[in-house]
């Protein structure tokens, strides 16, 4: 069989970069095609936080954790899923994956102990010190370059080459020349989900279709579109990651630490509208339902904690926050009705101090009651990425509805169905996106290597 490569990787985000590194380290010839002018995709926009349960970094920090505990956490937040087996697998391989990233790939990740974030009963996120996914992507690219793995940017896979039901590579469109074929023994789809495809979002995730999309534009849904043509099964298609507080008009994430530590969200009418401790993903839909924007209100002590994060400091430098010693002045600066805001804060503070029950059932108040000086940030809800995708098995092979693998085709990251439950954004635990990207990218490459050895015996 005439093949240009052992493994063709489509997409140069965390999943594709990890897949290519792992394939190369298995002694395979591999290359990555990337449709955009630079690698990174959503992975570069993320905070770069990857969960690992039972990592040696947790042990060194005295944190007792393991796959069973993590799996329980994932199931508790995600509920019913089409692919419970994959949830278990991700929990099982999370520690070895993060240790591989740090030890073999050279990623500069550190265990985050300052916060746990939604869905985790213990600190288990490992992230770049900057909390910027671009730093993780830079480390992955350095590892790819060190291994001389070709990355062809501006080269979009237009369709898969399929012969006798088996995938044999892809047709590549470089824009300025005729499309050409890259033939490969195995093909790994690392093209992420369909967040940038408004039609698919409206069809599969209608509850968030009205929100702005803040992910990368490359996530146009090819995995779903190509997979369907090949008879692939799709799982968890209504699941997605939302974000309840994107700073407006700056477009950066307002760190959810502001809310977890005791901040609140009020609408344009200066009233709270729900239980903010629902989490940044699940709460996005609630923010969208109450109006087109809202205001996060927090205080100086919370500001000082969140200021440990680079993006938060940047937002502050860009003038995203209003600050005032008196709630009246804060309200005026935001165009909110001052009496109503004071009333809301008084009521919330009474709940945080345990004097009365919270109107929306919030139980965790961080270091609230809030006290002066106060801060406000105008925010809008956003959609970050979709969590539904191709059904895969424990080897990351893409499956037909019958359970049969489609020969030679693998998927990981947002191209495959995720681990955030069957629908909505409530099931998204921090790190679910990147864990399935890095872990399944690596698993797909290792499985492809095993299969190629068998094919060639
Ligand atoms: C603002 C933000 C913050 C986030 N924070 C976190 C976090 O801290 N932790 C976490 O776990 N998750 C986070 N996520 C989600 C996470 O970024 C994604 O789940 C993860 O990056 C997906 O990785 P991937 O490799 O599958 O996709 P991507 O990183 O998007 O990579 C896919 C690549 O494939 C390319 N591509 C697409 N189609 C083609 C084609 N036809 N031909 C060639 N190339 C193609 C794309 O251009 C892209 O570069 C965040 C997302 C956003 C938007």
């Amino acid at each position: 069989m005439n093949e240009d490569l052992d493994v063709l990787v489509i997409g140069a985000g965390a999943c594709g970069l990890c897949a290519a590194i792992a394939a190369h380290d298995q002694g395979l010839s591999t290359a990555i095609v990337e449709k955009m002018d630079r690698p990174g995709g959503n992975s570069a926009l993320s905070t770069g936080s990857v969960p690992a349960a039972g990592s040696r970094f947790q042990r060194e920090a005295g944190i007792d954790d393991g796959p069973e505990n993590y799996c329980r956490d994932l199931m508790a937040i995600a509920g019913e899923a089409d692919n419970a087996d994959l949830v278990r697998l991700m929990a099982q391989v999370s520690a070895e994956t993060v240790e591989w990233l740090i030890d073999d790939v050279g990623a500069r990740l550190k265990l985050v102990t300052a916060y746990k974030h939604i869905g985790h009963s213990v600190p288990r996120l490992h992230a770049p010190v900057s909390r910027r996914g671009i730093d993780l992507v830079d480390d992955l690219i350095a590892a790819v370059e060190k291994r001389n793995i070709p990355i062809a940017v501006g080269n979009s896979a237009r369709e898969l080459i399929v012969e006798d039901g088996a995938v044999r590579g892809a047709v590549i469109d470089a824009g300025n020349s005729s499309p050409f074929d890259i033939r490969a023994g195995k093909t790994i789809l690392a093209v992420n989900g369909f967040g940038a495809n408004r039609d698919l979002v409206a069809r599969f995730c209608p509850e968030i279709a009205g929100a702005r999309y803040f992910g990368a534009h490359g996530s146009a849904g090819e995995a779903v579109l190509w997979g369907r043509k090949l008879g692939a099964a799709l799982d968890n298609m209504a699941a997605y990651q939302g974000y309840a507080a994107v700073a407006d008009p700056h477009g950066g994430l307002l760190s959810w630490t502001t809310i977890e530590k005791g901040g609140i969200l009020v609408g344009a009418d200066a009233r709270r509208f729900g239980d903010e401790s629902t989490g940044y993903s699940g709460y996005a839909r609630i923010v969208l339902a109450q109006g087109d924007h809202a205001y996060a209100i927090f205080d100086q002590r919370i500001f000082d904690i969140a200021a440990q994060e680079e993006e938060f400091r940047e937002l502050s430098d860009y003038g995203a926050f209003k600050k005032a010693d008196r709630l009246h002045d804060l309200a005026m600066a935001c165009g909110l009705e001052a009496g109503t805001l004071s009333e809301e804060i008084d009521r919330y503070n009474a709940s945080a101090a345990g004097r009365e029950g919270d109107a929306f059932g919030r139980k965790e108040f961080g270091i609230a009651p809030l006290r002066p000086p106060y801060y406000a940030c105008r925010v809008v809800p956003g959609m970050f990425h979709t969590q539904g995708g191709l059904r895969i098995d424990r080897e990351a092979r893409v499956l037909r509805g019958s359970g049969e693998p489609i020969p030679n085709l693998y998927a990981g990251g947002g191209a495959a169905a995720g681990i955030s439950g069957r629908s909505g954004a409530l099931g998204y635990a921090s790190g679910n996106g990147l864990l399935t990207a890095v872990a399944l990218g690596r698993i797909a490459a290792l499985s492809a290597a095993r299969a190629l050895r068998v094919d060639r015996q």
Side-chain angles (χ1 to χ4, degrees):
M1 184 104 20
N2 246 350
E3 279 161 5
D4 303 305
L5 293 169
D6 292 324
V7 175
L8 171 64
V9 177
I10 305 178
C15 178
L17 295 166
C18 287
I21 292 165
H24 172 277
D25 291 357
Q26 287 290 306
L28 304 177
S29 63
T30 186
I32 311 170
V33 289
E34 164 56 50
K35 82 155 67 139
M36 306 306 270
D37 290 338
R38 61 175 67 173
N42 256 20
S43 304
L45 302 178
S46 77
T47 63
S49 309
V50 192
S55 77
R56 71 170 187 273
F57 310 102
Q58 286 178 307
R59 283 198 298 281
E60 283 160 16
I63 295 162
D64 185 18
D65 196 17
E68 299 75 28
N69 192 32
Y70 183 20
C71 196
R72 246 192 322 275
D73 287 352
L74 284 171
M75 301 274 195
I77 184 168
E80 292 282 299
D82 294 331
N83 55 352
D85 196 36
L86 197 72
V87 178
R88 275 191 291 278
L89 177 66
M90 289 299 98
Q92 277 158 11
V93 301
S94 60
E96 69 176 56
T97 304
V98 164
E99 290 180 7
W100 171 76
L101 277 175
I102 292 171
D103 298 338
D104 296 11
V105 179
R108 292 160 301 161
L109 301 178
K110 296 256 181 287
L111 175 68
V112 179
T113 50
Y115 53 81
K116 295 183 292 202
H117 266 345
I118 190 83
H120 300 286
S121 56
V122 295
R124 62 167 75 97
L125 295 178
H126 298 65
V129 172
S130 62
R131 306 285 189 275
R132 289 186 179 277
I134 186 74
D135 286 352
L136 171 61
V137 167
D138 281 348
D139 290 345
L140 297 177
I141 291 171
V144 162
E145 285 174 349
K146 193 167 135 200
R147 289 163 172 80
N148 289 320
I149 301 169
I151 305 187
V153 294
N155 280 254
S156 183
R158 210 164 77 168
E159 57 183 318
L160 297 175
I161 301 169
V162 183
E163 291 168 359
D164 300 327
V167 175
R168 304 284 180 200
V171 181
I172 309 299
D173 191 348
N176 52 4
S177 54
S178 307
F180 58 94
D181 290 358
I182 298 183
R183 296 184 65 87
K186 307 289 169 195
T187 299
I188 298 177
L189 290 181
V191 294
N192 207 347
F194 52 93
N197 184 324
R198 300 315 292 175
D199 291 343
L200 290 182
V201 171
R203 168 137 178 232
F204 291 111
C205 310
E207 70 178 32
I208 201 69
R212 281 190 242 166
Y213 172 61
F214 286 96
H217 295 294
S219 304
E222 285 93 333
V224 169
L225 300 170
W226 296 338
R228 274 203 307 212
K229 272 199 207 162
L230 288 171
L234 303 175
D235 280 340
N236 300 333
M237 287 302 282
Y240 66 93
Q241 180 199 4
Y243 199 80
V246 181
D248 185 51
H250 306 78
L253 272 71
L254 171 67
S255 168
W256 200 247
T257 304
T258 54
I259 305 300
E260 279 179 351
K261 291 292 177 191
I264 57 169
L265 290 177
V266 299
D269 60 358
R271 300 254 179 233
R272 282 177 70 214
F273 45 84
D275 172 7
E276 300 88 350
S277 65
T278 304
Y280 59 73
S281 180
Y283 206 57
R285 181 176 62 90
I286 313 292
V287 181
L288 182 67
Q290 63 80 47
D292 67 353
H293 69 277
Y295 294 87
I297 312 282
F298 47 99
D299 68 16
Q300 182 70 52
R301 298 163 310 145
I302 295 173
F303 179 99
D304 292 340
I305 296 169
Q308 290 166 31
E309 299 167 29
E310 197 174 293
E311 188 163 3
F312 183 85
R313 289 198 301 274
E314 256 179 40
L315 274 181
S316 179
D317 293 344
Y318 290 150
F321 307 138
K322 310 278 187 219
K323 178 181 180 185
D325 285 328
R326 295 186 321 142
L327 279 173
H328 180 274
D329 298 333
L330 192 77
M332 289 294 130
C334 298
L336 295 170
E337 210 286 302
T340 313
L341 184 65
S342 289
E343 228 175 72
E344 282 296 294
I345 301 282
D346 282 350
R347 195 173 304 141
Y348 170 72
N349 278 348
S351 309
R355 290 198 300 278
E356 55 185 63
D358 183 64
F360 300 99
R362 181 165 170 169
K363 298 215 165 41
E364 295 188 12
F365 299 92
I367 56 174
L370 300 174
R371 54 165 110 124
Y374 301 105
Y375 285 84
C377 178
R378 182 180 155 117
V379 297
V380 293
M383 207 272 250
F384 278 4
H385 75 277
T386 51
Q387 277 278 302
L390 298 169
R391 180 178 300 167
I392 56 168
D393 64 9
R394 293 174 66 92
E395 305 267 298
R397 297 181 298 181
V398 177
L399 301 180
R400 296 202 163 91
S402 61
E404 283 291 299
I406 295 172
N408 305 334
L409 188 62
Y410 298 78
I419 53 171
S420 305
R422 197 168 275 154
S423 62
L426 279 167
Y428 185 82
S430 293
N432 279 8
L434 278 177
L435 176 61
T436 54
V438 295
L440 288 172
R442 178 168 177 251
I443 287 173
L446 299 179
S447 309
R450 277 193 299 274
L452 281 168
R453 280 195 285 273
V454 172
D455 292 352
R456 289 169 182 173
Q457 262 168 15

